[in-house]
């Protein structure tokens, strides 16, 4: 395993010297959305519940092998933080996968971005942050399944689940930061991912059933775990070594637009003018919030 880590690290160092750090962020964004598109193709066999179980389960195994976290000697409060982090991670992914089963990928990611945007704006007293919040709210209102200003063609449950995923994403951000301060390296994330897999186990088995053991489903589930977790996590770490956090945040704000592009190219999901305008508004709000951030 030490040889494997050395080989991965050596490859990352060589690649980082040949590519600009912005390429790593964009690669991470595309990898995450491609993973979501591949996952959506599994829904017909496993459902969102079985698919998310395979994704989180495989990611937990990989992280356990890489980090080998130690639980012995940890206090109850420290373990409670990791458990809550895992719970937020599991519910975030489950609600998001359930959302993209009902609405287009680009729309779901746009709505989900309400979570991190709220985290960025809450507590700020600057007028410019209120502008970004207003832009994001306008974009979300365009996607609301209403007949006046909103989008009457979108599934109400899907919209609600995407917003719920955004709420758990906000919780994930706070708990991720706290876990990172308590546990070294990625060991806290490994523990949280294991907790998430255990939480998802009953619902994943109930809906996925025997199909979870099919070789094709296992292979695709592993691919989703790598595309959605292992690969982007590695790329983001390398990018943050050379990029200011502000620039990193601006590039990450392209996720709604990239999700719409991947949804069109991989899943054949086209967005109307109203949905495209909503994606643009939220993307601009996320980019502006990151660019004007003082931290």
């Amino acid at each position: 395993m030490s040889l494997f880590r050395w080989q991965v690290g050596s490859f990352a160092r060589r690649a980082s010297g040949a590519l600009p750090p912005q390429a790593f962020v964009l690669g991470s964004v595309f990898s995450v959305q491609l993973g979501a598109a591949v996952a959506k193709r599994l829904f017909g066999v496993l459902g969102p519940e079985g698919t998310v179980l395979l994704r989180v389960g495989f990611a937990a195994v990989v992280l356990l092998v890489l980090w080998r976290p130690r639980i012995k000697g940890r206090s109850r409060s420290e373990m409670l933080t990791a458990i809550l982090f895992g719970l937020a991670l599991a519910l975030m992914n489950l609600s998001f996968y359930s959302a993209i089963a009902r609405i287009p990928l680009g729309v779901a990611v746009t709505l989900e971005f309400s979570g991190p945007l709220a985290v960025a704006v809450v507590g700020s007293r600057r007028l410019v942050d209120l502008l970004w919040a207003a832009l994001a709210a306008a974009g979300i209102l365009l996607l609301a399944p209403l007949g006046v200003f909103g989008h009457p063609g979108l599934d109400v449950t899907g919209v609600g689940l995407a917003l719920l995923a955004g709420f758990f994403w906000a919780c994930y951000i706070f708990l991720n930061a706290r876990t990172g301060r308590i546990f070294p390296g990625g060991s806290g994330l490994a523990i949280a991912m294991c907790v998430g897999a255990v939480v998802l186990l009953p619902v994943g088995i109930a809906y996925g059933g025997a199909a979870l053991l099919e070789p094709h489903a296992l292979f695709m589930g592993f691919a989703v775990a790598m595309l959605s977790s292992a690969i982007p996590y590695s790329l983001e770490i390398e990018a943050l070594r050379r990029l200011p956090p502000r620039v990193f945040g601006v590039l990450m704000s392209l996720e709604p637009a990239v999700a719409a592009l991947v949804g069109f190219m991989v899943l054949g999901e086209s967005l109307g003018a109203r949905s495209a305008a909503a994606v643009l508004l939220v993307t601009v709000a996320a980019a502006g919030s990151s660019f004007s951030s003082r931290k």
Side-chain angles (χ1 to χ4, degrees):
M1 183 52 60
S2 59
L3 177 61
F4 172 76
R5 286 183 182 177
W6 180 85
Q7 289 174 335
V8 172
S10 178
F11 173 78
R13 285 190 295 272
R14 290 196 301 269
S16 65
L19 295 173
Q22 292 85 350
F24 285 88
V25 184
L26 295 177
S28 170
V29 170
F30 271 98
S31 181
V32 168
Q33 301 311 324
L34 182 59
V38 173
K40 191 166 183 174
R41 290 189 173 276
L42 269 177
F43 290 175
V45 178
L46 302 176
E49 299 84 2
T51 303
V52 75
L53 172 61
L54 287 185
R55 178 217 164 150
V56 174
F58 276 123
V61 171
V62 171
L63 288 171
L64 275 179
V65 172
L66 288 176
W67 292 103
R68 287 175 288 185
R70 294 182 179 180
I71 299 178
K72 187 177 180 181
R74 292 291 175 183
S75 66
R76 287 186 178 181
S77 62
E78 290 175 339
M79 290 306 302
L80 178 61
T81 299
I83 290 171
L84 291 175
F85 182 27
L87 184 62
L89 187 151
L91 294 176
M92 176 184 70
N93 283 289
L94 179 60
S95 53
F96 176 70
Y97 276 24
S98 299
I100 64 174
R102 296 170 170 84
I103 58 178
L105 177 61
V107 172
V109 173
T110 300
L111 291 168
E112 188 190 27
F113 244 71
S114 60
L117 274 172
V119 172
V121 173
V122 165
S124 174
R125 297 180 179 179
R126 295 179 301 161
L127 291 177
V128 67
D129 288 325
L130 296 179
L131 170 63
W132 308 133
L135 284 177
I140 292 170
L141 184 61
L142 285 176
L143 294 175
L146 305 171
V148 184
F149 299 106
H151 197 309
L154 288 177
D155 181 86
V156 177
T157 304
V159 170
L161 286 167
L163 292 173
L164 183 63
F167 168 76
F168 286 121
W169 193 354
C171 298
Y172 171 93
I173 292 171
F174 283 115
L175 292 168
N176 189 8
R178 181 170 175 79
T179 302
R181 290 192 296 267
I182 295 173
F183 294 88
S187 59
L189 177 62
I191 296 172
M193 198 71 74
C194 291
V195 172
V198 171
V199 169
L200 293 168
L201 198 61
V203 66
I205 293 176
Y207 285 89
L212 288 167
L213 301 177
E214 294 180 3
H216 174 72
L218 289 171
F219 174 78
M220 295 293 285
F222 181 77
V224 170
M226 294 300 99
L227 288 168
S228 301
S229 299
I231 293 175
Y233 180 69
S234 302
L235 291 175
E236 288 167 13
I237 287 178
E238 192 60 39
L240 282 168
R241 298 181 195 276
R242 301 162 56 193
L243 273 181
R246 180 181 299 183
V247 177
F248 178 85
V250 171
L251 291 172
M252 288 295 290
S253 67
L254 294 173
E255 280 210 45
V258 172
L261 178 62
V262 171
F264 174 73
M265 295 178 63
V266 179
L267 302 172
E269 297 176 343
S270 58
L271 300 182
R274 183 187 295 268
S275 297
V279 170
L280 178 62
L281 285 171
V282 173
T283 299
V284 170
S289 177
S290 297
F291 186 76
S292 64
S293 175
R294 293 178 181 176
K295 296 183 180 181

